[in-house]
Amino acid sequence: MTIRAKILQTILYATLKISGWKKKVLWENLDYVHPGMSELQKKNFRKKLLKNVSRDAADFITKSRIYSQNDSRFEIDPSSIPVLEKMKNGGLMLTAHFGNYEIIGPWLVRMSIPLVASYAHLKPKIFDNWIYSHIRSVDKQNYSLFINNPKDIIKTLDEKKLFCLIADQDYRNSHFIPGMLLGKPVHCNYIPQFILNHRPDTPIYICWLSSQKEKRILHAQEITATDGGKIFDKYHIWLENQIKNSPEEWYGWVHRRYLSTMKSTYKSKN
């Protein structure tokens, strides 16, 4: 990390910890998935998670960890190279709120992969505009898209672009795909099924980063499935493996992932 990023990480960590950021949601998710966790275990878990969140956020905001071909901190998993080459011809890419997932976008763009990432508007508008133009862009190239109509996704695919979907959030719509994550039922985004309904030959990929000390390693794999349910079955197997290996790096713990499928005290949306 750069000095600037380390300073920002320290500020972010202190702010998140003192403010009690997402503590209630985290506690409820841990109690739901791991009911045997003690109060001390949950406190230690939260401490590690907040350190990871603040580290990754600081790196991303300061752009101190953006892929460069000659930077030894970045590696590509050798088995993923053929998959990444195929991704240059477009398709559907799934990822998750895992590790420093935000830097995948700039990394892929700098590898000449035609990424288009779906995003939701933020408030206030001035902050949304700043995120759009300064954070979700690299080398003056913006790679994010607000989806007004699902047909925009089909247009993107027809243009041979790679449409990215962060697929580990609760889907609060009547048209959902049922799934299981960490042994609990979840509602999943219908977009993969919508894509297969209209473009059944669309290639589907999962892309993520792993860490080895200061190194970040890019991974990509192609999955085959005939419907949205099978896509999420394979996606969840992958995600559960990542969570098993590094549980405090899955930031889905602070999202209301299970809201639609559990009797809960949650009162508001994520």
Side-chain angles (χ1 to χ4, degrees):
M1 296 182 76
T2 63
I3 294 176
R4 185 173 61 153
K6 287 181 179 179
I7 293 172
L8 180 57
Q9 178 191 16
T10 301
I11 296 172
L12 288 173
Y13 174 72
T15 302
L16 296 177
K17 186 178 180 181
I18 294 170
S19 68
W21 179 77
K22 298 285 188 176
K23 183 178 179 180
K24 184 175 183 291
V25 176
L26 174 60
W27 254 233
E28 290 179 330
N29 281 331
L30 290 176
D31 286 340
Y32 186 57
V33 176
H34 301 299
M37 286 187 76
S38 68
E39 195 72 12
L40 179 59
Q41 286 175 319
K42 286 188 287 188
K43 288 180 179 179
N44 289 335
F45 189 97
R46 179 172 180 263
K47 182 178 180 180
K48 292 178 182 178
L49 185 143
L50 292 183
K51 284 185 176 180
N52 291 336
V53 168
S54 56
R55 175 203 65 200
D56 292 338
D59 272 339
F60 184 65
I61 292 171
T62 61
K63 294 192 174 184
S64 62
R65 194 178 290 274
I66 298 294
Y67 167 75
S68 175
Q69 187 175 3
N70 299 318
D71 192 328
S72 61
R73 298 176 302 167
F74 300 94
E75 291 184 2
I76 298 174
D77 168 51
S79 66
S80 300
I81 294 175
V83 181
L84 291 163
E85 282 298 314
K86 289 187 68 175
M87 288 164 66
K88 292 180 179 180
N89 294 315
L92 170 64
M93 185 188 93
L94 304 178
T95 189
H97 295 88
F98 184 84
N100 203 341
Y101 65 96
E102 287 279 13
I103 67 171
I104 294 176
W107 194 324
L108 296 181
V109 170
R110 283 190 166 177
M111 291 177 63
S112 299
I113 292 175
L115 181 71
V116 174
S118 173
Y119 80 101
H121 283 306
L122 302 172
K123 294 181 180 180
K125 186 174 177 55
I126 189 172
F127 178 65
D128 185 56
N129 291 339
W130 182 79
I131 290 289
Y132 179 84
S133 60
H134 291 82
I135 301 298
R136 294 193 178 104
S137 66
V138 63
D139 302 331
K140 297 183 179 180
Q141 180 176 346
N142 189 279
Y143 54 84
S144 60
L145 175 69
F146 177 73
I147 301 298
N148 290 303
N149 189 308
K151 292 181 180 179
D152 294 338
I153 300 173
I154 302 303
K155 180 182 178 182
T156 295
L157 295 172
D158 288 345
E159 293 172 348
K160 299 297 182 181
K161 294 180 179 178
L162 183 71
F163 180 75
C164 173
L165 178 68
I166 299 179
D168 61 340
Q169 289 181 297
D170 189 38
Y171 190 64
R172 298 158 201 172
N173 189 293
S174 58
H175 295 288
F176 63 87
I177 298 173
M180 295 290 293
L181 177 63
L182 300 174
K184 304 295 182 181
V186 288
H187 286 181
C188 306
N189 200 310
Y190 190 75
I191 284 178
Q193 184 63 59
F194 173 82
I195 289 174
L196 290 182
N197 288 345
H198 291 82
R199 299 293 185 271
D201 295 327
T202 300
I204 303 162
Y205 308 98
I206 298 175
C207 192
W208 71 100
L209 292 174
S210 64
S211 303
Q212 288 183 359
K213 296 183 179 180
E214 282 297 304
K215 286 189 177 182
R216 297 293 181 268
I217 304 166
L218 181 67
H219 303 263
Q221 70 178 56
E222 184 174 8
I223 60 175
T224 56
T226 55
D227 62 66
K230 291 183 173 61
I231 289 175
F232 276 103
D233 286 345
K234 295 183 178 183
Y235 171 82
H236 286 144
I237 289 172
W238 161 78
L239 181 54
E240 286 174 350
N241 285 334
Q242 307 309 310
I243 295 172
K244 180 180 178 181
N245 292 332
S246 302
E248 299 91 356
E249 286 198 90
W250 182 51
Y251 306 141
W253 292 116
V254 294
H255 291 177
R256 305 182 192 276
R257 182 65 186 98
Y258 299 98
L259 176 61
S260 296
T261 56
M262 66 181 284
K263 290 181 179 180
S264 168
T265 58
Y266 294 147
K267 299 299 182 182
S268 59
K269 293 184 179 182
N270 178 39

